[in-house]
Amino acid sequence: MRIVEARVIVTCPGRNFVTLKIITDTGAYGVGDATLNGRELAVAAYLRDHVVPALIGRDPARIEDTWQYLYKGSYWRRGPVTMTAIAAVDTALWDLKGKVAGLPVYQLLGGRSRDGVTVYGHASGDTAEALLTDVSRFVAQGYRAVRVQAAVPGLPSVYGVGKPGETYEPASSAVPSEEVWDTALYLDVVPRVFADVRAEFGPALKLLHDAHHRLTPIEAARLGRSLEPYALTWLEDPVPAELQDGFRLIRQHTTTPLAVGEVFTTVWDCQQLITSQLIDYIRTTVVHAGGITHLRRIFDLAALYHVRSGSHGATDLSPICLAAALHVDLAIPNFGLQEYMPHSPETDAVFPHGYHFEGGYLHPSETPGLGVDIDEELAARYPYRPASLPVNRLTDGTLHSW
Ligand code: CS2
Ligand code: MG
């Protein structure tokens, strides 16, 4: 079998997605997600101009060799564009290998290690009442875990809280919109939010919160300590994580578990966080961390240090990424949680898939491969639309992490 064609498909069924379709001389093909929110065309160009020409004629069965060829062969290693492009190739080759073997990919990864993939949903609210109503909506659907994001009085908007009844989608304008942030107002309200939610829903519901890279280590330590009475499953992205050693300061002050990694693209971004046990969950995902091949390496390292998986799963990762993530989640021994933001009906129509939600679990498809596809004809009806993520400024105008 040989690769004879690789198509880079950019589509925008409500939001932009990039897909790589690798086609072989037998007609069999595999698909991979190559979406990088706000930088989609950079990955599409990297694939079209620098990767696809080198794939033609290669044996698609040689997944590891192809991964090494694209990683070491680029000379300029690591980074979100390179690793997302490699991830798309890797994911498509695993899809192909499953189809050729006649097995769902999780069977190629060691088989099932659990009954289903426990997922968490995104609850939010611009008032205390709206938030409690939203949390109860997820509980009623059978979710065992819910991420809680609340409005911050005094701020016009805040990460993770959309308009009532609308799906939260931050990448909304070609030029970044500007948001305002005030850490003091945020640190004041969050503990009260979790006191209300825990009082309403009791001790069994897993509660999570995303600080979205906005604190300093000592501020994160203060937040973690203030949340200890509410026993969160994790506090996510407390600080920008370039300085892995900075997490020691947070660890010294709080037992609130920490989850980091959705912006990481290789094991090197988190190697110290894992081996020094500075985090409890690693949030790397298929589409941005080099595909199934590299993600397995990260999770295997994490398993040695009591760190569990908690893969990113926002709507700016396509159903192809989610389908692949579920196969990895089902097989690894140190699975923690999988983020799940259901895609829109338009997106689901462009990416028909066999995974399904039942009783708080997502279940991957049992069909050979990943169990997801792309309807190219339908995808062509949704042209790319420039969209950037927002930027964030403090009230004095200082540029801050978004
Ligand atoms: C967030 C993401 O889901 C999460 O945990 O951090 O929604 C993130 O804001 C987006 O993926 C950015 O594109
Ligand atoms: Mg996050």
Side-chain angles (χ1 to χ4, degrees), residues 1-5 21-30 60 96 99-100:
M1 186 181 278
R2 283 289 178 268
I3 295 171
V4 293
E5 185 185 354
K21 183 170 182 178
I22 294 180
I23 303 157
T24 66
D25 50 1
T26 68
Y29 66 87
L96 251 172
K99 289 174 177 175
V100 170

Side-chain angles (χ1 to χ4, degrees), residues 298-313:
I298 294 172
F299 290 161
D300 286 347
L301 174 67
L304 302 180
Y305 294 90
H306 306 293
V307 176
R308 285 172 281 181
S309 74
S311 285
H312 189 202

Side-chain angles (χ1 to χ4, degrees), residues 147 159 210 212 236-237 262 283:
R147 189 190 81 169
Y159 162 73
D210 192 347
H212 219 264
E236 177 180 337
D237 283 333
E262 68 182 52
R283 287 197 23 87

